[in-house]
Amino acid sequence: MPKVVDRNARRYDIADATLRLAAREGLEAVSIRSVAAEAGMSAGAVQKYFATKDELLLCALDLSDERLVQRWRELPGDAPLTDYLREALPLDERTREENALLWSFTARAAYRPEWARRIAASYRELHDMLVAALGGTAGESAETSEGRSVDDLAHAIIALTDGFAHRMMQHSPDDPEVEGLLRALEHAVTVLLTTDPLLPSGPQGQTGPVTTEQ
Amino acid sequence: MPKVVDRNARRYDIADATLRLAAREGLEAVSIRSVAAEAGMSAGAVQKYFATKDELLLCALDLSDERLVQRWRELPGDAPLTDYLREALPLDERTREENALLWSFTARAAYRPEWARRIAASYRELHDMLVAALGGTAGESAETSEGRSVDDLAHAIIALTDGFAHRMMQHSPDDPEVEGLLRALEHAVTVLLTTDPLLPSGPQGQTGPVTTEQ
């Protein structure tokens, strides 16, 4: 196995350990030492890959993003938009870890502008991907009511998904309340997709596939 | 001044210092000692009111909730729903502090079930208040499509507000992007309120006042 692959695999093992630890005990529990213990490595071995706690955390956030995109790639091409949204929600242990990390980052970004920029950039990418999937062009036609509507709709769908994910985090994945919240999310998305009077192509239903190619 | 009022005022001064400190440096920076310094008091004086860091943080969260309800009470009775939502958004330094605290709590609640329960209870209260304002009855008529729709709509409006608040936290309040996000939120809420085909009384417009009596 070429050395570079080996190096990446090792980085991801460490990032995975960081993600597990941060979800279980919070960002403040993350250190080179604690992550090394979680990964079953020596602190010196971890430091060959990551010099600081912040590098560890950013790599864990990247890993979390990549896992989501990987799940999206595995969906059938004609899956409805709500199937894509579902993958971002804390509906099992794994996605709960990812969400816990995301909310911890947000909390920290409130007083760390460079983290806020990292998160904002990732949202911008997600937004533009969603605008394209909805059949619009982000920004370009922002002056027309149509362009604005697709931009706004994409923002709204992202916000709904985040807001419901935030609610679901207050319950364990098997709490019946989570099912009700999921239904409310899907209902709201359907209403927005089918009845927004400003959408360029009129009522669209909920069947348009979302491409996740980057 | 009766002693009990004095005691409450002092508790609130300390909670206010906790809120400022947590927003500026994160929950991990909060301790009896650091809060005492922020409030200009001795650690011993703070400990007369709060025995632990968790008590400090919960009181700061209560204060944050109360500030929001107080702003709602000051709105004219016929203010549109979007004016109420706006008060919950991080649009200035004060509301940014409140939001930073809320997201920190959520992050921590991921591994502290009792905090998750505290947050879930506060959301339940907010949801039922909103259902009543929309002219429905939470839970009672959940079996009918109408009851479900008002319940779902209230969940969606809360989720939209939280999701957009989360996005706005990645920008400073004077960033032009915040204005675009605010417009997208108000557009989505208007669409949900005016075009949901399942709402009991049909299209409602955006004019219904929200009562905030508790």
Side-chain angles (χ1 to χ4, degrees):
Chain A
M1 196 191 274
K3 230 173 182 156
V4 60
V5 174
D6 196 39
R7 186 171 165 83
N8 278 338
R10 190 48 79 93
R11 276 177 65 89
Y12 271 62
D13 284 347
I14 300 171
D16 192 52
T18 307
L19 189 50
R20 281 197 309 272
L21 188 65
R24 205 172 61 228
E25 299 176 33
L27 294 191
E28 62 261 54
V30 171
S31 68
I32 301 284
R33 185 179 298 270
S34 63
V35 166
E38 178 78 21
M41 299 167 67
S42 71
V46 169
Q47 274 176 316
K48 279 192 205 147
Y49 299 92
F50 300 97
T52 66
K53 170 175 168 165
D54 274 12
E55 285 180 27
L56 275 173
L57 290 171
L58 286 169
C59 187
L61 191 61
D62 285 342
L63 175 62
S64 173
D65 281 355
E66 281 183 33
R67 280 193 194 165
L68 177 58
V69 170
Q70 186 52 42
R71 290 197 298 275
W72 281 345
R73 289 213 176 98
E74 285 162 12
L75 286 177
D78 60 349
L81 178 57
T82 48
D83 282 8
Y84 285 84
L85 305 183
R86 207 180 257 258
E87 295 298 336
L89 300 173
L91 295 174
D92 59 26
E93 223 27 68
R94 210 92 202 278
T95 46
R96 219 180 131 78
E97 276 179 11
E98 293 169 11
N99 267 274
L101 187 77
L102 178 64
W103 302 114
S104 298
F105 259 80
T106 301
R108 222 175 194 219
Y111 51 98
R112 305 201 70 169
E114 73 279 19
W115 285 31
R117 279 192 293 273
R118 159 73 176 74
I119 298 174
S122 151
Y123 271 112
R124 210 147 29 230
E125 205 174 299
L126 183 64
H127 173 262
D128 292 352
M129 202 192 291
L130 191 51
V131 166
L134 293 168
T137 311
E140 277 187 28
S141 50
E143 293 307 306
T144 69
S145 66
E146 289 83 3
R148 211 171 53 217
S149 186
V150 178
D151 266 0
D152 285 358
L153 179 63
H155 283 310
I157 289 171
I158 291 169
L160 270 173
T161 309
D162 278 346
F164 275 104
H166 179 246
R167 286 291 297 282
M168 290 174 184
M169 282 301 285
Q170 318 311 329
H171 303 273
S172 67
D174 57 353
D175 185 328
E177 193 130 353
V178 171
E179 195 51 48
L181 291 168
L182 186 59
R183 192 193 56 215
L185 166 61
E186 300 195 338
H187 180 63
V189 170
T190 306
V191 171
L192 287 176
L193 285 178
T194 53
T195 61
D196 188 331
L198 295 180
L199 276 182
S201 49
Q204 303 205 345
Q206 199 192 325
T207 53
V210 175
T211 60
T212 58
E213 272 87 47
Q214 294 196 304
Chain B
M1 197 188 275
K3 232 179 182 150
V4 61
V5 173
D6 197 40
R7 185 171 166 84
N8 277 337
R10 188 49 78 95
R11 278 177 64 90
Y12 271 62
D13 285 346
I14 300 171
D16 192 52
T18 307
L19 188 51
R20 282 198 309 273
L21 188 65
R24 206 172 61 230
E25 298 176 32
L27 295 192
E28 63 261 55
V30 170
S31 67
I32 300 284
R33 185 179 299 269
S34 63
V35 166
E38 178 79 21
M41 298 166 67
S42 71
V46 169
Q47 274 177 315
K48 279 191 205 147
Y49 300 91
F50 299 98
T52 66
K53 171 175 169 167
D54 275 12
E55 284 179 28
L56 276 173
L57 290 171
L58 286 168
C59 187
L61 190 61
D62 285 342
L63 175 62
S64 174
D65 281 354
E66 280 181 35
R67 279 193 195 164
L68 177 59
V69 170
Q70 186 54 41
R71 290 197 298 275
W72 282 345
R73 289 215 175 96
E74 284 161 12
L75 287 176
D78 60 348
L81 177 57
T82 48
D83 282 8
Y84 285 83
L85 304 184
R86 208 180 256 260
E87 295 297 337
L89 300 172
L91 296 174
D92 60 26
E93 224 27 67
R94 210 91 202 279
T95 46
R96 219 180 130 80
E97 276 180 10
E98 294 170 8
N99 268 273
L101 187 78
L102 178 63
W103 303 114
S104 298
F105 259 80
T106 301
R108 222 175 194 221
Y111 52 97
R112 305 201 71 170
E114 73 278 17
W115 285 30
R117 280 192 292 274
R118 158 73 176 75
I119 299 174
S122 150
Y123 271 112
R124 212 149 26 231
E125 205 174 299
L126 183 63
H127 173 263
D128 292 352
M129 202 193 290
L130 191 50
V131 166
L134 293 168
T137 312
E140 278 188 29
S141 50
E143 293 307 305
T144 70
S145 66
E146 289 82 4
R148 212 170 55 218
S149 186
V150 177
D151 265 0
D152 286 0
L153 179 64
H155 283 310
I157 289 171
I158 292 169
L160 269 173
T161 310
D162 278 346
F164 275 104
H166 180 245
R167 285 293 296 281
M168 290 173 182
M169 283 300 287
Q170 318 310 330
H171 304 272
S172 67
D174 56 352
D175 185 328
E177 192 131 354
V178 171
E179 196 51 48
L181 291 169
L182 187 59
R183 191 193 57 214
L185 166 61
E186 299 194 339
H187 180 62
V189 170
T190 306
V191 171
L192 286 177
L193 284 178
T194 53
T195 61
D196 188 330
L198 295 181
L199 276 182
S201 48
Q204 304 205 343
Q206 200 193 325
T207 53
V210 175
T211 59
T212 57
E213 273 85 48
Q214 295 196 301

